[in-house]
PDB file of all heavy atoms in Angstrom:
ATOM      1  N   ILE A  18      87.966  92.812  85.832  1.00 96.00           N
ATOM      2  CA  ILE A  18      88.844  91.780  85.933  1.00 96.00           C
ATOM      3  C   ILE A  18      88.934  91.553  87.433  1.00 96.00           C
ATOM      4  O   ILE A  18      89.233  92.380  88.174  1.00 96.00           O
ATOM      5  CB  ILE A  18      90.247  92.161  85.470  1.00 96.00           C
ATOM      6  CG1 ILE A  18      90.111  92.354  83.836  1.00 96.00           C
ATOM      7  CG2 ILE A  18      91.284  90.946  85.784  1.00 96.00           C
ATOM      8  CD1 ILE A  18      91.494  92.983  83.370  1.00 96.00           C
ATOM      9  N   ARG A  19      88.528  90.322  88.003  1.00 95.00           N
ATOM     10  CA  ARG A  19      88.685  90.072  89.341  1.00 95.00           C
ATOM     11  C   ARG A  19      89.753  89.141  89.579  1.00 95.00           C
ATOM     12  O   ARG A  19      89.891  88.148  88.979  1.00 95.00           O
ATOM     13  CB  ARG A  19      87.334  89.312  89.802  1.00 95.00           C
ATOM     14  CG  ARG A  19      86.072  90.138  89.486  1.00 95.00           C
ATOM     15  CD  ARG A  19      84.822  89.325  89.904  1.00 95.00           C
ATOM     16  NE  ARG A  19      83.549  90.039  89.568  1.00 95.00           N
ATOM     17  CZ  ARG A  19      82.286  89.576  89.740  1.00 95.00           C
ATOM     18  NH1 ARG A  19      82.119  88.419  90.388  1.00 95.00           N
ATOM     19  NH2 ARG A  19      81.225  90.249  89.295  1.00 95.00           N
ATOM     20  N   ILE A  20      90.614  89.587  90.664  1.00 95.00           N
ATOM     21  CA  ILE A  20      91.763  88.924  91.064  1.00 95.00           C
ATOM     22  C   ILE A  20      91.392  88.303  92.418  1.00 95.00           C
ATOM     23  O   ILE A  20      91.113  88.848  93.447  1.00 95.00           O
ATOM     24  CB  ILE A  20      92.941  89.802  91.203  1.00 95.00           C
ATOM     25  CG1 ILE A  20      93.249  90.466  89.911  1.00 95.00           C
ATOM     26  CG2 ILE A  20      94.079  89.129  91.712  1.00 95.00           C
ATOM     27  CD1 ILE A  20      93.553  89.470  88.723  1.00 95.00           C
ATOM     28  N   PHE A  21      91.467  86.862  92.406  1.00 93.00           N
ATOM     29  CA  PHE A  21      91.015  86.120  93.622  1.00 93.00           C
ATOM     30  C   PHE A  21      92.268  85.462  94.109  1.00 93.00           C
ATOM     31  O   PHE A  21      92.895  84.541  93.404  1.00 93.00           O
ATOM     32  CB  PHE A  21      90.029  85.020  93.261  1.00 93.00           C
ATOM     33  CG  PHE A  21      89.445  84.229  94.455  1.00 93.00           C
ATOM     34  CD1 PHE A  21      88.239  84.518  94.997  1.00 93.00           C
ATOM     35  CD2 PHE A  21      90.205  83.207  94.909  1.00 93.00           C
ATOM     36  CE1 PHE A  21      87.769  83.634  96.116  1.00 93.00           C
ATOM     37  CE2 PHE A  21      89.733  82.431  96.073  1.00 93.00           C
ATOM     38  CZ  PHE A  21      88.544  82.708  96.509  1.00 93.00           C
ATOM     39  N   SER A  22      92.666  85.758  95.364  1.00 91.00           N
ATOM     40  CA  SER A  22      93.848  85.124  95.951  1.00 91.00           C
ATOM     41  C   SER A  22      93.893  85.206  97.383  1.00 91.00           C
ATOM     42  O   SER A  22      93.090  86.123  98.017  1.00 91.00           O
ATOM     43  CB  SER A  22      95.157  85.684  95.299  1.00 91.00           C
ATOM     44  OG  SER A  22      95.562  86.897  95.850  1.00 91.00           O
ATOM     45  N   ARG A  23      94.831  84.663  98.125  1.00 89.00           N
ATOM     46  CA  ARG A  23      94.962  84.913  99.584  1.00 89.00           C
ATOM     47  C   ARG A  23      96.007  85.830  99.959  1.00 89.00           C
ATOM     48  O   ARG A  23      96.199  86.122 101.088  1.00 89.00           O
ATOM     49  CB  ARG A  23      95.340  83.446 100.190  1.00 89.00           C
ATOM     50  CG  ARG A  23      94.306  82.441 100.100  1.00 89.00           C
ATOM     51  CD  ARG A  23      94.674  81.077 100.763  1.00 89.00           C
ATOM     52  NE  ARG A  23      95.729  80.496 100.142  1.00 89.00           N
ATOM     53  CZ  ARG A  23      96.409  79.426 100.537  1.00 89.00           C
ATOM     54  NH1 ARG A  23      95.894  78.795 101.609  1.00 89.00           N
ATOM     55  NH2 ARG A  23      97.413  78.849  99.884  1.00 89.00           N
ATOM     56  N   ASP A  24      96.807  86.364  99.065  1.00 90.00           N
ATOM     57  CA  ASP A  24      97.975  87.118  99.384  1.00 90.00           C
ATOM     58  C   ASP A  24      97.576  88.666  99.231  1.00 90.00           C
ATOM     59  O   ASP A  24      97.579  89.261  98.110  1.00 90.00           O
ATOM     60  CB  ASP A  24      99.051  86.794  98.400  1.00 90.00           C
ATOM     61  CG  ASP A  24     100.457  87.284  98.844  1.00 90.00           C
ATOM     62  OD1 ASP A  24     100.546  88.377  99.416  1.00 90.00           O
ATOM     63  OD2 ASP A  24     101.405  86.621  98.707  1.00 90.00           O
ATOM     64  N   GLU A  25      97.308  89.261 100.442  1.00 93.00           N
ATOM     65  CA  GLU A  25      96.949  90.705 100.426  1.00 93.00           C
ATOM     66  C   GLU A  25      98.097  91.586 100.056  1.00 93.00           C
ATOM     67  O   GLU A  25      97.928  92.594  99.295  1.00 93.00           O
ATOM     68  CB  GLU A  25      96.660  90.983 101.945  1.00 93.00           C
ATOM     69  CG  GLU A  25      95.239  90.399 102.291  1.00 93.00           C
ATOM     70  CD  GLU A  25      94.764  90.921 103.758  1.00 93.00           C
ATOM     71  OE1 GLU A  25      94.665  92.071 103.909  1.00 93.00           O
ATOM     72  OE2 GLU A  25      94.672  90.085 104.681  1.00 93.00           O
ATOM     73  N   LYS A  26      99.304  91.168 100.405  1.00 93.00           N
ATOM     74  CA  LYS A  26     100.451  91.989  99.914  1.00 93.00           C
ATOM     75  C   LYS A  26     100.572  92.096  98.465  1.00 93.00           C
ATOM     76  O   LYS A  26     100.788  93.257  97.825  1.00 93.00           O
ATOM     77  CB  LYS A  26     101.722  91.422 100.642  1.00 93.00           C
ATOM     78  CG  LYS A  26     103.083  92.262 100.270  1.00 93.00           C
ATOM     79  CD  LYS A  26     103.034  93.693 100.511  1.00 93.00           C
ATOM     80  CE  LYS A  26     104.440  94.173 100.288  1.00 93.00           C
ATOM     81  NZ  LYS A  26     104.985  94.041  99.082  1.00 93.00           N
ATOM     82  N   LYS A  27     100.466  90.932  97.729  1.00 94.00           N
ATOM     83  CA  LYS A  27     100.672  90.859  96.349  1.00 94.00           C
ATOM     84  C   LYS A  27      99.437  91.710  95.649  1.00 94.00           C
ATOM     85  O   LYS A  27      99.615  92.314  94.697  1.00 94.00           O
ATOM     86  CB  LYS A  27     100.697  89.488  95.846  1.00 94.00           C
ATOM     87  CG  LYS A  27     102.048  88.828  96.175  1.00 94.00           C
ATOM     88  CD  LYS A  27     102.203  87.426  95.549  1.00 94.00           C
ATOM     89  CE  LYS A  27     103.507  86.761  95.928  1.00 94.00           C
ATOM     90  NZ  LYS A  27     103.687  85.397  95.259  1.00 94.00           N
ATOM     91  N   GLN A  28      98.294  91.502  96.313  1.00 95.00           N
ATOM     92  CA  GLN A  28      97.140  92.335  95.673  1.00 95.00           C
ATOM     93  C   GLN A  28      97.355  93.734  95.826  1.00 95.00           C
ATOM     94  O   GLN A  28      97.117  94.533  94.904  1.00 95.00           O
ATOM     95  CB  GLN A  28      95.911  91.859  96.446  1.00 95.00           C
ATOM     96  CG  GLN A  28      95.388  90.422  96.074  1.00 95.00           C
ATOM     97  CD  GLN A  28      93.935  90.219  96.613  1.00 95.00           C
ATOM     98  OE1 GLN A  28      93.239  91.191  96.996  1.00 95.00           O
ATOM     99  NE2 GLN A  28      93.405  89.093  96.499  1.00 95.00           N
ATOM    100  N   HIS A  29      97.966  94.104  96.971  1.00 95.00           N
ATOM    101  CA  HIS A  29      98.262  95.606  97.226  1.00 95.00           C
ATOM    102  C   HIS A  29      99.217  96.162  96.127  1.00 95.00           C
ATOM    103  O   HIS A  29      99.018  97.200  95.505  1.00 95.00           O
ATOM    104  CB  HIS A  29      98.752  95.827  98.585  1.00 95.00           C
ATOM    105  CG  HIS A  29      99.192  97.303  98.874  1.00 95.00           C
ATOM    106  ND1 HIS A  29      98.366  98.341  98.886  1.00 95.00           N
ATOM    107  CD2 HIS A  29     100.456  97.670  99.049  1.00 95.00           C
ATOM    108  CE1 HIS A  29      99.068  99.441  99.179  1.00 95.00           C
ATOM    109  NE2 HIS A  29     100.212  99.053  99.200  1.00 95.00           N
ATOM    110  N   ASP A  30     100.238  95.304  95.918  1.00 94.00           N
ATOM    111  CA  ASP A  30     101.301  95.693  94.895  1.00 94.00           C
ATOM    112  C   ASP A  30     100.697  95.832  93.519  1.00 94.00           C
ATOM    113  O   ASP A  30     100.994  96.574  92.766  1.00 94.00           O
ATOM    114  CB  ASP A  30     102.470  94.589  95.002  1.00 94.00           C
ATOM    115  CG  ASP A  30     103.260  94.507  96.188  1.00 94.00           C
ATOM    116  OD1 ASP A  30     103.213  95.614  96.977  1.00 94.00           O
ATOM    117  OD2 ASP A  30     103.906  93.647  96.484  1.00 94.00           O
ATOM    118  N   LEU A  31      99.779  94.909  93.151  1.00 94.00           N
ATOM    119  CA  LEU A  31      99.196  94.945  91.807  1.00 94.00           C
ATOM    120  C   LEU A  31      98.268  96.108  91.690  1.00 94.00           C
ATOM    121  O   LEU A  31      98.161  96.784  90.631  1.00 94.00           O
ATOM    122  CB  LEU A  31      98.386  93.607  91.529  1.00 94.00           C
ATOM    123  CG  LEU A  31      99.236  92.337  91.257  1.00 94.00           C
ATOM    124  CD1 LEU A  31      98.195  91.177  91.065  1.00 94.00           C
ATOM    125  CD2 LEU A  31     100.051  92.571  89.976  1.00 94.00           C
ATOM    126  N   ARG A  32      97.541  96.422  92.800  1.00 94.00           N
ATOM    127  CA  ARG A  32      96.585  97.594  92.806  1.00 94.00           C
ATOM    128  C   ARG A  32      97.556  98.785  92.462  1.00 94.00           C
ATOM    129  O   ARG A  32      97.038  99.744  91.834  1.00 94.00           O
ATOM    130  CB  ARG A  32      95.932  97.731  94.124  1.00 94.00           C
ATOM    131  CG  ARG A  32      94.930  98.735  94.227  1.00 94.00           C
ATOM    132  CD  ARG A  32      94.280  98.798  95.459  1.00 94.00           C
ATOM    133  NE  ARG A  32      93.319  97.657  95.695  1.00 94.00           N
ATOM    134  CZ  ARG A  32      93.600  96.771  96.675  1.00 94.00           C
ATOM    135  NH1 ARG A  32      94.685  96.718  97.371  1.00 94.00           N
ATOM    136  NH2 ARG A  32      92.804  95.583  96.751  1.00 94.00           N
ATOM    137  N   ILE A  33      98.682  98.900  93.089  1.00 95.00           N
ATOM    138  CA  ILE A  33      99.537 100.124  92.919  1.00 95.00           C
ATOM    139  C   ILE A  33     100.096 100.120  91.475  1.00 95.00           C
ATOM    140  O   ILE A  33     100.097 101.168  90.707  1.00 95.00           O
ATOM    141  CB  ILE A  33     100.660 100.232  93.886  1.00 95.00           C
ATOM    142  CG1 ILE A  33     100.008 100.441  95.331  1.00 95.00           C
ATOM    143  CG2 ILE A  33     101.668 101.119  93.583  1.00 95.00           C
ATOM    144  CD1 ILE A  33     101.095 100.405  96.374  1.00 95.00           C
ATOM    145  N   LYS A  34     100.600  98.923  91.079  1.00 94.00           N
ATOM    146  CA  LYS A  34     101.077  98.823  89.653  1.00 94.00           C
ATOM    147  C   LYS A  34     100.186  99.218  88.586  1.00 94.00           C
ATOM    148  O   LYS A  34     100.635  99.895  87.722  1.00 94.00           O
ATOM    149  CB  LYS A  34     101.763  97.303  89.582  1.00 94.00           C
ATOM    150  CG  LYS A  34     102.362  97.036  88.247  1.00 94.00           C
ATOM    151  CD  LYS A  34     102.701  95.622  88.079  1.00 94.00           C
ATOM    152  CE  LYS A  34     103.119  95.305  86.606  1.00 94.00           C
ATOM    153  NZ  LYS A  34     103.581  93.813  86.532  1.00 94.00           N
ATOM    154  N   TYR A  35      99.007  98.685  88.618  1.00 94.00           N
ATOM    155  CA  TYR A  35      98.086  98.876  87.467  1.00 94.00           C
ATOM    156  C   TYR A  35      97.212 100.133  87.740  1.00 94.00           C
ATOM    157  O   TYR A  35      96.851 100.815  86.741  1.00 94.00           O
ATOM    158  CB  TYR A  35      97.327  97.747  87.319  1.00 94.00           C
ATOM    159  CG  TYR A  35      98.002  96.510  86.623  1.00 94.00           C
ATOM    160  CD1 TYR A  35      98.404  95.464  87.423  1.00 94.00           C
ATOM    161  CD2 TYR A  35      98.415  96.572  85.257  1.00 94.00           C
ATOM    162  CE1 TYR A  35      99.081  94.364  86.851  1.00 94.00           C
ATOM    163  CE2 TYR A  35      99.160  95.501  84.841  1.00 94.00           C
ATOM    164  CZ  TYR A  35      99.489  94.423  85.596  1.00 94.00           C
ATOM    165  OH  TYR A  35     100.205  93.305  85.103  1.00 94.00           O
ATOM    166  N   ASN A  36      96.826 100.427  88.932  1.00 94.00           N
ATOM    167  CA  ASN A  36      96.045 101.629  89.234  1.00 94.00           C
ATOM    168  C   ASN A  36      94.827 101.665  88.214  1.00 94.00           C
ATOM    169  O   ASN A  36      94.581 102.737  87.506  1.00 94.00           O
ATOM    170  CB  ASN A  36      96.841 102.883  89.051  1.00 94.00           C
ATOM    171  CG  ASN A  36      96.020 104.144  89.593  1.00 94.00           C
ATOM    172  OD1 ASN A  36      95.196 104.033  90.554  1.00 94.00           O
ATOM    173  ND2 ASN A  36      96.503 105.336  89.086  1.00 94.00           N
ATOM    174  N   ASN A  37      94.068 100.662  88.081  1.00 94.00           N
ATOM    175  CA  ASN A  37      93.104 100.505  87.033  1.00 94.00           C
ATOM    176  C   ASN A  37      91.685 100.144  87.702  1.00 94.00           C
ATOM    177  O   ASN A  37      91.719  99.112  88.430  1.00 94.00           O
ATOM    178  CB  ASN A  37      93.472  99.357  85.997  1.00 94.00           C
ATOM    179  CG  ASN A  37      92.481  99.431  84.788  1.00 94.00           C
ATOM    180  OD1 ASN A  37      91.334  99.468  84.969  1.00 94.00           O
ATOM    181  ND2 ASN A  37      93.088  99.419  83.662  1.00 94.00           N
ATOM    182  N   LYS A  38      90.710 101.024  87.567  1.00 93.00           N
ATOM    183  CA  LYS A  38      89.477 100.786  88.226  1.00 93.00           C
ATOM    184  C   LYS A  38      88.817  99.493  87.808  1.00 93.00           C
ATOM    185  O   LYS A  38      87.780  99.126  88.587  1.00 93.00           O
ATOM    186  CB  LYS A  38      88.525 102.007  88.028  1.00 93.00           C
ATOM    187  CG  LYS A  38      89.038 103.290  88.781  1.00 93.00           C
ATOM    188  CD  LYS A  38      88.201 104.432  88.459  1.00 93.00           C
ATOM    189  CE  LYS A  38      88.625 105.726  89.166  1.00 93.00           C
ATOM    190  NZ  LYS A  38      87.633 106.800  89.019  1.00 93.00           N
ATOM    191  N   LYS A  39      89.007  99.005  86.711  1.00 94.00           N
ATOM    192  CA  LYS A  39      88.293  97.739  86.338  1.00 94.00           C
ATOM    193  C   LYS A  39      88.864  96.443  86.909  1.00 94.00           C
ATOM    194  O   LYS A  39      88.258  95.429  86.779  1.00 94.00           O
ATOM    195  CB  LYS A  39      88.226  97.610  84.695  1.00 94.00           C
ATOM    196  CG  LYS A  39      89.563  97.328  84.062  1.00 94.00           C
ATOM    197  CD  LYS A  39      89.297  97.146  82.568  1.00 94.00           C
ATOM    198  CE  LYS A  39      90.550  96.800  81.804  1.00 94.00           C
ATOM    199  NZ  LYS A  39      90.367  96.739  80.313  1.00 94.00           N
ATOM    200  N   ILE A  40      89.955  96.594  87.605  1.00 96.00           N
ATOM    201  CA  ILE A  40      90.637  95.453  88.342  1.00 96.00           C
ATOM    202  C   ILE A  40      90.010  95.576  89.819  1.00 96.00           C
ATOM    203  O   ILE A  40      90.306  96.399  90.465  1.00 96.00           O
ATOM    204  CB  ILE A  40      92.098  95.489  88.337  1.00 96.00           C
ATOM    205  CG1 ILE A  40      92.658  95.560  87.041  1.00 96.00           C
ATOM    206  CG2 ILE A  40      92.636  94.151  89.017  1.00 96.00           C
ATOM    207  CD1 ILE A  40      94.289  95.664  86.947  1.00 96.00           C
ATOM    208  N   LYS A  41      89.289  94.350  90.159  1.00 95.00           N
ATOM    209  CA  LYS A  41      88.741  94.227  91.415  1.00 95.00           C
ATOM    210  C   LYS A  41      89.407  93.157  92.162  1.00 95.00           C
ATOM    211  O   LYS A  41      89.826  92.101  91.632  1.00 95.00           O
ATOM    212  CB  LYS A  41      87.305  93.868  91.340  1.00 95.00           C
ATOM    213  CG  LYS A  41      86.540  94.791  90.491  1.00 95.00           C
ATOM    214  CD  LYS A  41      86.413  96.295  91.015  1.00 95.00           C
ATOM    215  CE  LYS A  41      85.586  97.153  90.140  1.00 95.00           C
ATOM    216  NZ  LYS A  41      85.705  98.523  90.597  1.00 95.00           N
ATOM    217  N   PHE A  42      89.771  93.280  93.490  1.00 96.00           N
ATOM    218  CA  PHE A  42      90.534  92.350  94.231  1.00 96.00           C
ATOM    219  C   PHE A  42      89.763  91.651  95.302  1.00 96.00           C
ATOM    220  O   PHE A  42      89.024  92.253  96.047  1.00 96.00           O
ATOM    221  CB  PHE A  42      91.787  93.000  94.947  1.00 96.00           C
ATOM    222  CG  PHE A  42      92.853  93.527  93.935  1.00 96.00           C
ATOM    223  CD1 PHE A  42      92.704  94.889  93.384  1.00 96.00           C
ATOM    224  CD2 PHE A  42      93.752  92.747  93.428  1.00 96.00           C
ATOM    225  CE1 PHE A  42      93.556  95.322  92.488  1.00 96.00           C
ATOM    226  CE2 PHE A  42      94.625  93.273  92.350  1.00 96.00           C
ATOM    227  CZ  PHE A  42      94.569  94.467  92.019  1.00 96.00           C
ATOM    228  N   ILE A  43      89.846  90.306  95.360  1.00 94.00           N
ATOM    229  CA  ILE A  43      89.084  89.532  96.332  1.00 94.00           C
ATOM    230  C   ILE A  43      89.969  88.596  97.055  1.00 94.00           C
ATOM    231  O   ILE A  43      90.798  87.911  96.597  1.00 94.00           O
ATOM    232  CB  ILE A  43      88.037  88.551  95.555  1.00 94.00           C
ATOM    233  CG1 ILE A  43      87.140  89.347  94.622  1.00 94.00           C
ATOM    234  CG2 ILE A  43      87.238  87.635  96.589  1.00 94.00           C
ATOM    235  CD1 ILE A  43      86.214  88.575  93.629  1.00 94.00           C
ATOM    236  N   ILE A  44      89.981  88.758  98.463  1.00 93.00           N
ATOM    237  CA  ILE A  44      90.781  87.854  99.333  1.00 93.00           C
ATOM    238  C   ILE A  44      90.004  86.644  99.601  1.00 93.00           C
ATOM    239  O   ILE A  44      88.727  86.694  99.981  1.00 93.00           O
ATOM    240  CB  ILE A  44      91.040  88.658 100.648  1.00 93.00           C
ATOM    241  CG1 ILE A  44      91.928  89.982 100.453  1.00 93.00           C
ATOM    242  CG2 ILE A  44      91.684  87.674 101.514  1.00 93.00           C
ATOM    243  CD1 ILE A  44      93.334  89.526  99.871  1.00 93.00           C
ATOM    244  N   GLY A  45      90.485  85.436  99.273  1.00 89.00           N
ATOM    245  CA  GLY A  45      89.726  84.232  99.503  1.00 89.00           C
ATOM    246  C   GLY A  45      90.714  82.996  99.263  1.00 89.00           C
ATOM    247  O   GLY A  45      91.748  83.151  98.877  1.00 89.00           O
ATOM    248  N   ASP A  46      90.173  81.903  99.655  1.00 86.00           N
ATOM    249  CA  ASP A  46      90.864  80.576  99.498  1.00 86.00           C
ATOM    250  C   ASP A  46      90.157  79.749  98.554  1.00 86.00           C
ATOM    251  O   ASP A  46      88.880  79.520  98.650  1.00 86.00           O
ATOM    252  CB  ASP A  46      90.910  79.875 100.904  1.00 86.00           C
ATOM    253  CG  ASP A  46      91.847  78.820 100.884  1.00 86.00           C
ATOM    254  OD1 ASP A  46      91.828  77.915  99.943  1.00 86.00           O
ATOM    255  OD2 ASP A  46      92.531  78.559 101.891  1.00 86.00           O
ATOM    256  N   ILE A  47      90.834  79.178  97.500  1.00 79.00           N
ATOM    257  CA  ILE A  47      90.239  78.454  96.527  1.00 79.00           C
ATOM    258  C   ILE A  47      89.406  77.238  96.993  1.00 79.00           C
ATOM    259  O   ILE A  47      88.556  76.608  96.382  1.00 79.00           O
ATOM    260  CB  ILE A  47      91.192  77.963  95.472  1.00 79.00           C
ATOM    261  CG1 ILE A  47      90.536  77.404  94.204  1.00 79.00           C
ATOM    262  CG2 ILE A  47      92.283  77.144  95.991  1.00 79.00           C
ATOM    263  CD1 ILE A  47      89.682  78.180  93.383  1.00 79.00           C
ATOM    264  N   ARG A  48      89.871  76.821  98.239  1.00 76.00           N
ATOM    265  CA  ARG A  48      89.234  75.550  98.990  1.00 76.00           C
ATOM    266  C   ARG A  48      88.083  75.897  99.588  1.00 76.00           C
ATOM    267  O   ARG A  48      87.462  74.955 100.194  1.00 76.00           O
ATOM    268  CB  ARG A  48      90.325  74.853  99.760  1.00 76.00           C
ATOM    269  CG  ARG A  48      91.511  74.271  98.947  1.00 76.00           C
ATOM    270  CD  ARG A  48      92.696  73.896  99.884  1.00 76.00           C
ATOM    271  NE  ARG A  48      93.145  75.133 100.600  1.00 76.00           N
ATOM    272  CZ  ARG A  48      94.264  75.231 101.370  1.00 76.00           C
ATOM    273  NH1 ARG A  48      94.815  74.006 101.614  1.00 76.00           N
ATOM    274  NH2 ARG A  48      94.716  76.246 101.832  1.00 76.00           N
ATOM    275  N   ASP A  49      87.612  77.108  99.724  1.00 81.00           N
ATOM    276  CA  ASP A  49      86.450  77.651 100.517  1.00 81.00           C
ATOM    277  C   ASP A  49      85.419  77.859  99.580  1.00 81.00           C
ATOM    278  O   ASP A  49      85.232  78.705  98.782  1.00 81.00           O
ATOM    279  CB  ASP A  49      86.819  78.810 101.272  1.00 81.00           C
ATOM    280  CG  ASP A  49      85.675  79.359 102.162  1.00 81.00           C
ATOM    281  OD1 ASP A  49      85.054  78.663 102.916  1.00 81.00           O
ATOM    282  OD2 ASP A  49      85.211  80.556 101.887  1.00 81.00           O
ATOM    283  N   MET A  50      84.392  76.845  99.617  1.00 77.00           N
ATOM    284  CA  MET A  50      83.249  76.931  98.732  1.00 77.00           C
ATOM    285  C   MET A  50      82.448  78.150  98.640  1.00 77.00           C
ATOM    286  O   MET A  50      82.242  78.776  97.528  1.00 77.00           O
ATOM    287  CB  MET A  50      82.332  75.656  98.850  1.00 77.00           C
ATOM    288  CG  MET A  50      81.238  75.504  97.782  1.00 77.00           C
ATOM    289  SD  MET A  50      80.190  74.059  97.873  1.00 77.00           S
ATOM    290  CE  MET A  50      81.365  72.823  97.724  1.00 77.00           C
ATOM    291  N   PRO A  51      82.077  78.773  99.700  1.00 83.00           N
ATOM    292  CA  PRO A  51      81.226  79.962  99.696  1.00 83.00           C
ATOM    293  C   PRO A  51      82.036  81.101  99.056  1.00 83.00           C
ATOM    294  O   PRO A  51      81.514  81.938  98.276  1.00 83.00           O
ATOM    295  CB  PRO A  51      80.985  80.334 101.173  1.00 83.00           C
ATOM    296  CG  PRO A  51      81.111  78.987 101.837  1.00 83.00           C
ATOM    297  CD  PRO A  51      82.132  78.186 101.092  1.00 83.00           C
ATOM    298  N   SER A  52      83.327  81.268  99.217  1.00 84.00           N
ATOM    299  CA  SER A  52      84.196  82.220  98.674  1.00 84.00           C
ATOM    300  C   SER A  52      84.211  82.057  97.101  1.00 84.00           C
ATOM    301  O   SER A  52      84.126  83.063  96.461  1.00 84.00           O
ATOM    302  CB  SER A  52      85.690  82.209  99.158  1.00 84.00           C
ATOM    303  OG  SER A  52      85.665  82.551 100.686  1.00 84.00           O
ATOM    304  N   VAL A  53      84.359  80.839  96.701  1.00 83.00           N
ATOM    305  CA  VAL A  53      84.569  80.554  95.303  1.00 83.00           C
ATOM    306  C   VAL A  53      83.169  80.956  94.564  1.00 83.00           C
ATOM    307  O   VAL A  53      83.081  81.697  93.622  1.00 83.00           O
ATOM    308  CB  VAL A  53      84.733  79.024  95.032  1.00 83.00           C
ATOM    309  CG1 VAL A  53      84.672  78.703  93.594  1.00 83.00           C
ATOM    310  CG2 VAL A  53      86.204  78.766  95.519  1.00 83.00           C
ATOM    311  N   ILE A  54      82.054  80.443  95.192  1.00 82.00           N
ATOM    312  CA  ILE A  54      80.737  80.690  94.495  1.00 82.00           C
ATOM    313  C   ILE A  54      80.327  82.174  94.561  1.00 82.00           C
ATOM    314  O   ILE A  54      79.913  82.756  93.526  1.00 82.00           O
ATOM    315  CB  ILE A  54      79.667  79.909  95.280  1.00 82.00           C
ATOM    316  CG1 ILE A  54      79.798  78.350  95.153  1.00 82.00           C
ATOM    317  CG2 ILE A  54      78.221  80.374  94.898  1.00 82.00           C
ATOM    318  CD1 ILE A  54      78.928  77.500  95.951  1.00 82.00           C
TER     319      ILE A  54
END
C-alpha cells in the first residue's frame, strides 16, 4: 500500500499508528508529473 502525500508529519503519524511493513510512504505533490509517474 503506497501512501502519496505532501504531509510528512501525517505520514509519520500513520507510520507509527499502523507499524505495518507493507505500507510505503512517498512524499510528493500530485501536480508534479515526475513524482506521479
